Amino acid sequence: MHHTCHDCGYDLTGLPPQGECPECGTRYDIHSIYRATQAHEPAFVKHVKWVALTAFTVMVLVCGGALSIQSDRPLGVVALTLIIAGVSGFGAFTYWWVMRQERQGAD
């Protein structure tokens, strides 16, 4: 099976299952599903995930605001909108933060 470093693309075939990439020093784990998946993702895919969550959060806020204007109980709609947007926004932030920490850990 062919394994590559998820940061620089260095061929890790023949190296121990865990360690540091000889080319860039990034820690790798060949058995990790996350690392194996990331190794084959284009660079933009890493950013698309948190951008999509952020876009979903904005969409929820806009739709919730529009619904609250037409609702008989706008405070309930606003509260539900803020809860849903808060959860998805927190997910986007958490994903971005983890990716940032991994990049910093690799440096």
Side-chain angles (χ1 to χ4, degrees):
M1 182 172 272
H2 183 74
H3 297 284
T4 58
C5 174
H6 75 283
D7 274 354
C8 70
Y10 184 82
D11 185 6
L12 301 171
T13 304
L15 295 176
Q18 298 172 339
E20 291 185 4
C21 173
E23 184 72 21
C24 67
T26 302
R27 297 221 25 93
Y28 70 87
D29 182 354
I30 290 175
H31 299 295
S32 170
I33 293 171
Y34 176 69
R35 293 284 186 213
T37 302
Q38 259 196 346
H40 302 291
E41 288 181 342
F44 75 91
V45 172
K46 297 175 185 176
H47 301 290
V48 168
K49 293 174 184 176
W50 70 265
V51 169
L53 279 170
T54 303
F56 176 75
T57 302
V58 170
M59 184 182 70
V60 167
L61 289 171
V62 169
C63 292
L67 286 174
S68 70
I69 292 172
Q70 298 178 357
S71 176
D72 294 337
R73 298 184 352 216
L75 290 179
V77 174
V78 168
L80 182 61
T81 298
L82 291 176
I83 290 169
I84 294 170
V87 169
S88 65
F90 181 73
F93 175 78
T94 302
Y95 185 81
W96 170 80
W97 182 261
V98 168
M99 295 301 294
R100 180 175 174 238
Q101 295 302 319
E102 284 191 358
R103 281 194 312 270
Q104 286 178 350
D107 293 338

